[in-house]
Every structure is written in C-alpha cells, then in structure tokens.
Amino acid sequence: KAVAQLLLRVLQPKLSSTLLELSIAGCTRAGPQSMERVVELVSDAFNLRRLDLSQVKIEHYKLLPLCDAISKGQTLSYVSLSSTGFGKGPSAFACTCVTTLLQGHVAELDLSWNQFSAEIFSCLGETLAKRKMVKKLNICNCSGGCIDSLSTPVNCYLEQLQMDSALTSLDLSMSHMDYRSALVLEDALQNHKSLKHLQLSDNPLGPRGLRSVLRCMATETNGLKSFDTSGSYGGEEPSLLENEVFNMGDLPGSGSYNLQLHRPYHRALLRMLYRAAERFHLSPAEVFIVNSEEPFHHGTKKKDGTWEVPKEGEVSL
C-alpha cells in the first residue's frame, strides 16, 4: 500500500511531467494496486526514459496493459522486467506481450531471470529482428528445461539472431547452452556486423562449444569484439559417431549426418554444410548424397546471403 500511495502522489501532473526515471526494483511486496499506478504513470510521464521493475512480481492480467503502456512511451529507452514472472502462463499470451512490448522505442531491455518456452524465444527473436530497435538485451537465466535431450529453448532464439541487425550487446549467461547451442550461435553470427559484446558465462558449453565461440571471435565477417565464457568449461562431449557433429577437420563438413529439421541445431548444421560446399564453389546437389524416404529439396540462398532451409522432415546426408 505504501508503494501504491507514493506512486499516486507522483501521478500528479506537475511531478509526472518531469519524471525521467522510475524504479521500484526490489519492492517484492508491491501488489496489484501498485502495478495499476505504474501503468498509469508510464502512460502519463511523457518524458520517462528509464523504467526498472526488476524483482516485482507482475500479475498475469497486468502484464499486457503494462507492455502496451511501455510500447507507447516515446522517450522510454531502458526497461527492466527482470524476475517479474514474465513468461509464466500460456505461451501464446506471453508472445502477445512480447510483440506488444517491442512495438515501442526501447533500446536496452532486461528480461533476465524469467522463464521462457521455445515458442516465446522464437517470438522474441522474430520480433526483435523485424523491429530492429533493441541494441542491448539481457536474457540471462531465461531458458528453462530442455525441450528434449538435444534441444534447449534458447536455441530457438539463437537461430533468429542472424536477422537482427540492430543488436550490439547480448547476455546469455546461465541459459543451459551446450555445444549444440554454441553451434547454432556460430551459424547465426557468421555475418552479424553489429553484435560487439557477448556474455556466455555459466553455460555447459564444454570444449566443443568453446571452439564454436572461438571460431566466432576469429571470423572476419562478423563484428564481435569481446566475449565472456567464465564458468562454461564443463559440458557434454559428443561422440563423432553420433552423425550430428560438424566435422572441422581438413575437409570441413565431411561425414554422415542424420538431421531432424524441426531442431534448430540440425538446421544450423545444414546451413553450415551449405556454406562449406560454397567454399569449394559447389552447389548442395553436387556435394550431398541424400538418403531419405521422403522427397528432400535443398535450401535456397537469399539475397542477404543467408540460407533458408526446411523446418520439417528428416534427412540423411
């Protein structure tokens, strides 16, 4: 009640019109009344530049009105919704909130310490790529349990990174990223010019995942300047007999692969195989022997240089 009363006072026109920053971070006992006042204040404070609601639990029915108010803020450039419960409940509703939130002018967004499903991560990546407004993004510890033994939810976001030309700084620490996630990231950052800083600490990348990160750093076609992988040295080490590990030997990509194309990791593998063939000036049809019961059509290269690959089906190469 005390927070709600304070916010009610700030709602007075003389105060709200001069408000530049609003933070009730850490007010864990702020209730629905307080959130109603926050929504009103974000709508009325037309000079507001920064909003920090981290660690404030937002009721399900208050989230969409809040996202709508944020999206209409013409000067609002920094928003933190860290550890607010964003993403709980039906994924479709959370995707609506994400899409609404990103319609505004926010350039720095902190969504860390929430729980996102694969669908929410896909929506986040697609919307960020379309809007091209957010320059700094923190989604630390948002990737929940694995979809299955080969996929973590954050992989669905990583795959969309190649289309997001605005992002300059990304925090993916504690995202349950393994060597598969690292390869999806490597694939997405091949030609990413704007991303400069990457935080990957406390992920089970393992040696193979760290190699993917180092190759990202060494690639001259992207803009990466710094990365942090502290605490990410342990992790699963795959067998080369699994037919799903990209071979980085003398002949990159050589080997046999069993790909399930609904998986972001396997789609990334296929794109990397296409690029390996390109280095020898060969088309996919000239390089790959396809063993598949169903008809398989190779991906197509778009004008921006990225490969569009099938998202369903299975194929052995």
Side-chain angles (χ1 to χ4, degrees):
K1 288 184 178 181
V3 174
Q5 291 173 0
L6 172 64
L7 293 173
L8 185 60
R9 289 179 178 273
V10 179
L11 268 168
Q12 297 177 30
K14 289 184 179 180
L15 293 178
S16 63
S17 63
T18 60
L19 188 65
L20 300 180
E21 181 174 348
L22 174 63
S23 173
I24 57 169
C27 294
T28 56
R29 298 183 67 181
Q33 280 189 331
S34 298
M35 197 50 54
E36 286 180 11
R37 301 292 177 261
V38 168
V39 172
E40 291 179 47
L41 198 48
V42 172
S43 300
D44 292 351
F46 50 83
N47 286 314
L48 188 65
R49 288 166 170 75
R50 296 176 63 87
L51 175 65
D52 190 348
L53 303 178
S54 52
Q55 301 178 52
V56 178
K57 297 304 176 185
I58 302 175
E59 295 292 336
H60 182 76
Y61 63 95
K62 292 294 179 185
L63 187 57
L64 188 56
L66 174 64
C67 291
D68 184 57
I70 290 171
S71 72
K72 294 175 181 176
Q74 296 298 310
T75 60
L76 193 54
S77 61
Y78 171 86
V79 171
S80 176
L81 299 176
S82 172
S83 190
T84 56
F86 197 121
K88 285 187 176 180
S91 292
F93 175 77
C95 288
T96 300
C97 293
V98 167
T99 304
T100 303
L101 174 67
L102 295 176
Q103 296 306 305
H105 298 82
V106 176
E108 188 171 350
L109 180 60
D110 186 351
L111 294 175
S112 60
W113 291 86
N114 291 299
Q115 188 166 346
F116 293 169
S117 65
E119 291 79 10
I120 299 172
F121 271 121
S122 291
C123 177
L124 177 65
E126 290 171 5
T127 310
L128 286 169
K130 288 178 183 177
R131 290 288 300 155
K132 293 179 171 53
M133 287 295 299
V134 175
K135 298 183 183 303
K136 294 183 178 180
L137 178 65
N138 185 348
I139 47 175
C140 161
N141 198 30
C142 283
S143 189
C146 294
I147 301 171
D148 53 40
S149 61
L150 299 181
S151 301
T152 57
V154 74
N155 290 0
C156 295
Y157 166 74
L158 298 175
E159 190 177 27
Q160 307 294 332
L161 261 178
Q162 60 183 331
M163 306 303 297
D164 186 358
S165 58
L167 199 65
T168 62
S169 178
L170 177 61
D171 190 338
L172 291 163
S173 51
M174 293 185 285
S175 291
H176 302 281
M177 291 174 60
D178 58 9
Y179 73 89
R180 300 178 183 89
S181 307
L183 187 126
V184 178
L185 180 66
E186 179 185 357
D187 168 59
L189 296 185
Q190 286 289 316
N191 297 296
H192 203 297
K193 302 294 186 182
S194 61
L195 188 65
K196 307 297 183 186
H197 309 289
L198 189 58
Q199 175 63 258
L200 296 170
S201 59
D202 298 310
N203 282 295
L205 297 175
R208 186 169 292 274
L210 289 171
R211 289 188 197 117
S212 282
V213 178
L214 290 172
R215 287 195 296 268
C216 282
M217 195 67 188
T219 299
E220 296 179 355
T221 54
N222 67 35
L224 195 61
K225 299 296 184 184
S226 66
F227 67 91
D228 182 356
T229 55
S230 56
S232 299
Y233 311 118
E236 180 185 357
E237 188 64 14
S239 166
L240 293 176
L241 301 177
E242 291 183 9
N243 292 336
E244 63 152 22
V245 178
F246 189 80
N247 180 12
M248 291 302 299
D250 295 333
L251 190 61
S254 62
S256 298
Y257 299 87
N258 298 326
L259 304 180
Q260 298 172 329
L261 295 174
H262 67 280
R263 304 182 189 280
Y265 172 61
H266 285 181
R267 293 195 294 267
L269 267 176
L270 184 57
R271 284 189 292 267
M272 292 191 71
L273 290 170
Y274 287 157
R275 280 196 289 269
E278 276 188 297
R279 287 197 285 271
F280 293 96
H281 306 288
L282 297 171
S283 68
E286 294 176 289
V287 175
F288 301 117
I289 299 173
V290 179
N291 299 311
S292 179
E293 295 180 0
E294 300 292 330
F296 177 73
H297 301 285
H298 283 292
T300 55
K301 190 174 182 180
K302 298 191 290 186
K303 291 182 179 179
D304 61 3
T306 59
W307 281 91
E308 187 170 354
V309 302
K311 293 187 177 182
E312 295 179 353
E314 297 185 20
V315 63
S316 296
L317 304 171

